[in-house]
Amino acid sequence: MREEGKIRVFLLDDHEVVRRGVHELLSAEDDIEVVGEAGTAAEALVRIPAIRPDVAVLDVRLPDGSGVEVCRDIRSRDESVQCLMLTSYADDEALFDAIMAGASGYALKAIRGAELLAAVRDVAAGKSLLDPVATARVLERLREGGGPRQDDRLARLTEQEHRILGLVGEGLTNRQIGERLHLAEKTIKNYVSTLLSKLGMQRRSQAAAYVARIQAEKH
């Protein structure tokens, strides 16, 4: 929080009516200030780092991408920006992606005004709003998933790739992994690309789910 103790909020939603409604709701509060808006992922990725809000309220589905991707990008650059995902759809995969991207909360657009205000304040205070029941459901679904024997694919990874895969499973960004292992962020990005290829995966969230499944099988 900066400037007279107000919570500075940035809004990303491709629907102007929704954005305007949320803007009016938040602006009516003495302790909240809307400092910027965007209707596309590209615009948000330019404006959020420049404005550095306390909280970014991000629509999950956008015409040119995903709010989850915006969250991951912003959080990898500046962990002080807390992200609250807002969506019309209760989608387990999107929820898991949001968790792995470092979002602090995930709410449906059907949320009541008072609940949204409370969510913004809690996220700004550093609290996680991810519903433990929903999160457990996502992990359970992933653990029940089939697939080839894990050992076969894991055997293809080097010791360093194993280490990095484990950190991806913990939800760390490339930058955080680099700091942990004392390597450049670009080096980690190359490692992640290589290990995804070896595992036959396209997305980071798939690797995280894979780790969760392996850990579940050990217990």
Side-chain angles (χ1 to χ4, degrees):
M1 296 185 206
R2 295 184 292 274
E3 291 183 5
E4 303 168 9
K6 285 194 175 186
I7 300 168
R8 304 170 76 251
V9 179
F10 187 95
L11 304 177
L12 168 60
D13 198 301
D14 60 318
H15 294 101
E16 185 189 353
V17 173
V18 173
R19 210 165 62 236
R20 187 177 297 177
V22 175
H23 186 143
E24 289 178 3
L25 175 73
L26 297 178
S27 296
E29 301 298 304
D30 293 337
D31 62 333
I32 298 175
E33 177 186 8
V34 177
V35 293
E37 295 182 18
T40 65
E43 189 183 354
L45 286 171
V46 171
R47 301 201 66 203
I48 293 176
I51 295 172
R52 297 192 68 220
D54 299 304
V55 178
V57 178
L58 309 173
D59 188 11
V60 170
R61 300 193 183 191
L62 298 163
D64 64 334
S66 161
V68 172
E69 293 164 7
V70 173
C71 173
R72 184 179 295 114
D73 191 288
I74 296 301
R75 294 279 297 165
S76 68
R77 289 196 246 173
D78 187 352
E79 292 178 15
S80 71
V81 180
Q82 305 297 327
C83 296
L84 175 62
M85 312 308 299
L86 204 56
T87 181
S88 304
Y89 311 94
D91 180 342
D92 280 1
E93 188 173 345
L95 169 58
F96 190 77
D97 284 350
I99 293 169
M100 300 318 299
S104 298
Y106 186 98
L108 293 175
K109 287 182 180 176
I111 190 172
R112 282 181 287 198
E115 293 171 343
L116 179 58
L117 291 170
V120 168
R121 290 183 178 113
D122 283 347
V123 167
K127 297 178 185 175
S128 173
L129 300 181
L130 292 164
D131 179 357
V133 175
T135 304
R137 188 178 72 244
V138 170
L139 293 174
E140 189 62 35
R141 180 176 64 83
L142 292 164
R143 287 166 186 161
E144 289 171 356
R149 280 195 54 78
Q150 317 299 354
D151 294 348
D152 297 342
R153 290 194 280 180
L154 285 175
R156 302 174 195 167
L157 304 185
T158 65
E159 187 177 340
Q160 184 75 301
E161 287 166 351
H162 269 284
R163 196 173 294 122
I164 291 170
L165 176 62
L167 295 173
V168 168
E170 289 179 28
L172 271 63
T173 62
N174 287 346
R175 190 181 73 178
Q176 290 170 325
I177 294 172
E179 289 171 355
R180 182 82 64 91
L181 300 179
H182 307 291
L183 293 170
E185 184 177 349
K186 188 174 181 181
T187 302
I188 299 300
K189 186 177 180 180
N190 291 337
Y191 268 116
V192 171
S193 295
T194 302
L195 71 85
L196 286 178
S197 177
K198 287 184 178 180
L199 295 172
M201 299 173 184
Q202 288 79 45
R203 297 190 301 163
R204 190 188 191 91
S205 57
Q206 291 175 297
Y210 181 68
V211 173
R213 193 182 305 139
I214 293 169
Q215 290 173 340
E217 289 172 356
K218 287 180 180 176
H219 295 299

